[in-house]
């Protein structure tokens, strides 16, 4: 092996991208990861650091640049990871993210060259996010809102977040200015002092209703009335202002205590022609038009009929099950966040749907209960968080004879792992459709169809 020293310079070609969008370079088989370097580019690379198996380098000079490079991207979006793929042309982002799914299926599920469908692009490729979680910190003595530099908690002040709805950016800037004006203190996580930790803003895509959440270290909120008056006067679309108290020192954004500061404790949006109340602790897909495309694909894969009993596991506020409930016999939903289950029940009512049952609990437990109680689903739809499905969920689900499992995943690695288990238990992977809910970032969603092949 070549011996590498810090600050050595090599002339090399970038051969690939990592999952998170760094360029990959190999020198005598030893990999270096290089920020802001695209496949095909020839660079002079400076060695930053090395370890046993891999190293980090940085671009000293671009000798050639990729035809797919986007040149007008603000580098803060790469440095913070707000848009870790922002330097790559959108069509190439889609190709790369699809390729990663193909590779994971090949590596984990031993499915070489599985015909993963072309990724469906997002209707909007910038300004799409309906939610922002913005850290508030003091930078050189001034309260700032922005984003952390990757792998650190150094705040980079940002005003235009590029992938968020611009109305959300406006609210964040106004909040920052009001916090400064009223002399409120930014959180200091090293000393665990200060007051405002995060500002979370949600804006319903269809209705424009806005919710603002102040995440604070303590409950008592100095000068809150003046601040709320000014903010709601400036933004009549604000329907809800909440406070969340988080006294812990960890990385979780929310603590467990919520206070309603203004208006109501939810906002209402419309998806696939149905209305949804969304409360602060509930999950809601951040890219509404692209999520509608994803749900429509899942419903297409489910191939539902009027006699079907369907399980909607990890149901959130009900956005998937409620969009097809009128086409089937019954929908059973399970979700662990109580506030989201309350939303789902109310959302069923709002849309005049009464053939749904929502249970609060862990899907892996409730799925087993349903099997014991004799619920016989024809289709099981799952939409778990990144860690994927629990082994006990998979064994219960595979034991009840559903004709298909429709699996929505935000993490192809755990999806591929779970596919292996379903295949061992009598299902076969038929289709995988990536849908890009997260343009300019390395994230992507997919929907997979598994059908029953043996009893
Ligand atoms: N289908 C919904 C939510 C998907 S996100 C939508 O499209 O909006 C995943 C959801 O799973 C979140 O609402 C999260 O609270 C929930 N969840 C996480 N772990 C869970 C578990 N073990 N059992 C049930 N729900 C869980
Ligand atoms: Ni990732």
């Amino acid at each position: 092996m070549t011996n590498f020293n810090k600050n050595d310079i090599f002339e090399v070609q970038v051969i690939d991208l990592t999952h998170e969008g760094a360029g990959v370079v190999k020198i005598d088989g030893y990999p270096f990861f290089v920020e802001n370097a695209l496949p095909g580019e020839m660079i002079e690379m400076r060695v930053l650091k090395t370890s046993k198996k891999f190293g980090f380098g940085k671009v000293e000079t671009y000798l050639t640049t990729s035809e797919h490079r986007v040149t007008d991207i603000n580098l803060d979006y790469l440095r913070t990871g707000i848009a870790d793929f922002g330097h790559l042309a959108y069509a190439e982002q889609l190709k790369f993210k699809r390729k990663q799914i193909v590779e994971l299926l090949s590596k984990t599920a031993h499915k070489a060259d599985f015909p993963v469908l072309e990724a469906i692009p997002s209707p909007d490729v910038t300004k799409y996010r309906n939610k922002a979680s913005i850290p508030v910190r003091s930078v050189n003595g001034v309260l700032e809102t922005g984003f952390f530099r990757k792998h650190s908690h150094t705040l980079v002040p940002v005003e235009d977040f590029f992938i968020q709805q611009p109305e959300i950016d406006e609210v964040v800037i106004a909040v920052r200015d009001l916090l400064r004006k009223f002399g409120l203190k930014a959180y200091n996580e090293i000393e665990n002092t200060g007051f405002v930790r995060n500002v979370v803003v949600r804006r319903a895509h269809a209705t424009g209703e806005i919710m603002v959440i102040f995440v604070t270290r303590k409950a008592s909120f100095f000068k809150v009335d003046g601040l709320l008056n000014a903010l709601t006067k400036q933004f009549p679309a604000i329907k809800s202002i909440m406070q969340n108290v988080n006294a812990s020192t960890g990385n979780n954004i929310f603590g467990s205590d919520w206070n309603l500061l203004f208006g109501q404790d939810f906002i209402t949006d419309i998806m696939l022609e149905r209305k949804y109340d969304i409360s602060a602790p509930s999950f809601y897909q951040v890219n509404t038009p692209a999520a509608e495309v994803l749900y429509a694909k899942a419903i297409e894969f489910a191939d539902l009929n009027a006699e079907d009993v369907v399980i909607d596991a990890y149901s959130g506020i009900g956005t998937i099950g409620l969009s097809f409930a009128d086409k089937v016999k019954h929908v059973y939903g399970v979700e662990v966040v109580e506030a989201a289950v309350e939303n789902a029940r109310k959302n069923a009512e709002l849309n005049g749907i009464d053939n749904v049952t929502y249970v609060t609990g862990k899907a892996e437990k409730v799925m087993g209960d349903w099997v014991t109680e004799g619920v016989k689903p024809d289709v099981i739809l799952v939409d778990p968080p990144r860690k994927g499905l629990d082994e006990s969920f998979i064994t219960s689900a595979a034991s009840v004879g559903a004709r298909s499992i429709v699996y929505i995943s935000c993490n192809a690695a755990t999806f591929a792992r779970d596919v292996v288990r379903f295949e061992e238990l009598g299902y076969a992977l038929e289709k995988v459709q990536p849908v890009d809910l997260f343009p300019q970032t390395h994230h992507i969603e997919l929907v997979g169809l598994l059908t029953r092949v043996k009893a």
Side-chain angles (χ1 to χ4, degrees):
M1 195 187 97
T2 319
N3 259 325
F4 301 104
N5 296 308
K6 191 175 162 163
N7 293 324
D8 281 353
I9 305 269
F10 293 91
E11 194 177 308
V12 284
Q13 183 161 43
V14 182
I15 55 169
D16 202 355
L17 288 175
T18 66
H19 169 67
E20 290 176 351
V24 179
V25 155
K26 278 192 179 160
I27 303 173
D28 298 338
Y30 177 94
F32 280 94
F33 304 123
V34 187
E35 289 296 331
N36 195 10
L38 293 173
E41 293 182 333
M42 287 295 305
I43 58 172
E44 267 181 16
M45 183 195 81
R46 178 185 291 273
V47 174
L48 292 178
K49 63 177 176 194
T50 55
S51 63
K52 216 167 177 183
K53 294 211 166 100
F54 56 84
F56 293 93
K58 76 182 267 247
V59 178
E60 194 67 13
T61 319
Y62 294 95
L63 301 171
T64 68
T65 53
S66 167
E67 56 177 324
H68 303 305
R69 175 172 282 280
V70 172
T71 49
D72 58 356
I73 182 92
N74 175 342
L75 291 180
D76 281 345
Y77 299 141
L78 299 186
R79 291 187 188 113
T80 53
I82 287 175
D84 43 20
F85 275 36
H87 57 322
L88 183 60
Y90 186 58
E92 294 299 306
Q93 295 178 21
L94 292 177
K95 279 190 206 161
F96 178 77
K97 292 198 260 189
R98 175 185 172 277
K99 180 176 95 119
Q100 286 238 312
I101 298 170
V102 171
E103 285 170 3
L104 280 164
L105 284 171
S106 158
K107 200 172 83 185
T108 310
H110 304 293
K111 292 184 172 302
D113 302 318
F114 188 85
V116 172
L117 295 159
E118 294 296 318
I120 301 177
S122 171
D124 307 310
V125 301
T126 61
K127 306 182 189 323
Y128 60 86
R129 282 186 64 98
N130 61 28
K131 181 184 178 184
S133 300
I134 307 298
V136 180
R137 295 292 183 274
S138 176
V139 180
N140 302 324
V142 181
L143 181 145
E144 295 282 0
T145 47
F147 224 76
F148 295 133
R149 194 178 262 272
K150 261 192 218 172
H151 316 297
S152 90
H153 276 197
T154 308
L155 190 98
V156 180
V158 178
E159 290 195 339
D160 173 355
F161 283 84
F162 184 45
I163 60 172
Q164 278 164 208
Q165 297 178 10
E167 294 86 348
I168 294 182
D169 291 353
E170 284 170 30
V171 172
V172 172
I173 292 169
V175 166
R176 178 200 66 192
D177 292 348
L178 286 167
L179 291 173
R180 286 178 184 167
K181 180 176 164 195
F182 287 98
L184 286 144
K185 292 268 176 293
Y187 180 56
N188 177 325
E189 59 192 293
I190 296 164
E191 293 163 10
N192 196 25
T193 56
F195 182 63
V196 189
R197 298 171 66 123
N198 285 81
V199 177
V200 178
V201 182
R202 257 183 174 160
R203 179 175 178 276
H205 181 265
T207 64
E209 293 184 4
I210 295 172
M211 173 186 278
V212 179
I213 306 166
F214 290 93
V215 184
T216 61
R217 192 175 67 84
K218 287 180 173 171
S220 63
F221 201 148
F222 181 64
K223 301 215 170 155
V224 66
D225 292 340
L227 193 152
L228 298 191
N229 279 336
L231 191 60
T232 52
K233 203 179 267 165
Q234 193 177 343
F235 298 97
I238 295 180
K239 299 291 170 208
S240 170
I241 303 183
M242 308 284 300
Q243 179 185 12
N244 176 273
V245 184
N246 184 357
S248 81
T249 50
N251 277 336
N252 287 341
I253 293 201
F254 292 140
S256 53
D257 294 342
W258 293 91
N259 301 318
L260 177 63
L261 298 178
F262 168 85
Q264 52 191 42
D265 66 356
F266 63 91
I267 53 172
T268 307
D269 203 2
I270 299 170
M271 277 188 91
L272 296 174
E273 287 153 40
R274 282 157 191 88
K275 276 188 175 178
Y276 295 97
D277 282 3
I278 310 156
S279 61
S282 302
F283 177 89
Y284 187 60
Q285 283 289 9
V286 296
N287 180 344
T288 311
E292 291 181 313
V293 174
L294 175 76
Y295 295 169
K297 263 296 157 196
I299 295 166
E300 179 195 317
F301 283 7
D303 193 17
L304 300 165
N305 66 62
E307 290 312 303
D308 283 341
V309 171
V310 184
I311 285 178
D312 176 9
Y314 307 86
S315 47
I317 63 167
T319 43
I320 303 180
L322 293 174
S323 59
F324 60 71
D326 60 347
K327 297 189 184 65
V328 301
K329 190 163 158 199
H330 202 88
V331 177
Y332 290 87
V334 56
E335 161 62 46
V336 76
V337 172
E338 174 72 42
V341 175
E342 283 167 17
N343 286 155
R345 290 183 183 135
K346 165 103 180 288
N347 291 336
E349 237 175 83
L350 273 180
N351 295 289
I353 294 165
D354 57 13
N355 59 335
V356 294
T357 308
Y358 287 104
V359 178
T360 308
K362 291 199 164 178
E364 51 274 29
K365 158 119 194 351
V366 174
M367 186 67 225
D369 297 345
W370 281 332
V371 174
T372 314
E373 289 160 20
V375 173
K376 290 256 174 287
D378 299 284
V379 175
I380 300 175
L381 203 146
V382 299
D383 185 9
R386 298 188 55 73
K387 70 175 186 182
L389 299 173
D390 218 75
E391 171 61 21
S392 66
F393 182 95
I394 297 176
T395 45
S396 304
S399 73
V400 284
R403 70 168 182 268
S404 55
I405 312 280
V406 177
Y407 190 143
I408 297 179
S409 167
C410 55
N411 181 350
T414 55
F415 170 77
R417 177 200 69 197
D418 295 345
V419 162
V420 175
R421 287 296 292 136
F422 277 117
E423 294 208 324
E424 286 163 0
L425 296 168
Y427 285 83
L429 184 64
E430 301 280 339
K431 294 186 208 176
V432 175
Q433 173 66 70
V435 182
D436 190 20
L437 268 62
F438 311 103
Q440 320 301 343
T441 80
H442 74 274
H443 300 288
I444 190 155
E445 293 268 332
L446 65 82
V447 49
L449 173 64
L450 290 136
T451 56
R452 192 163 180 78
V453 287
K454 53 177 188 281

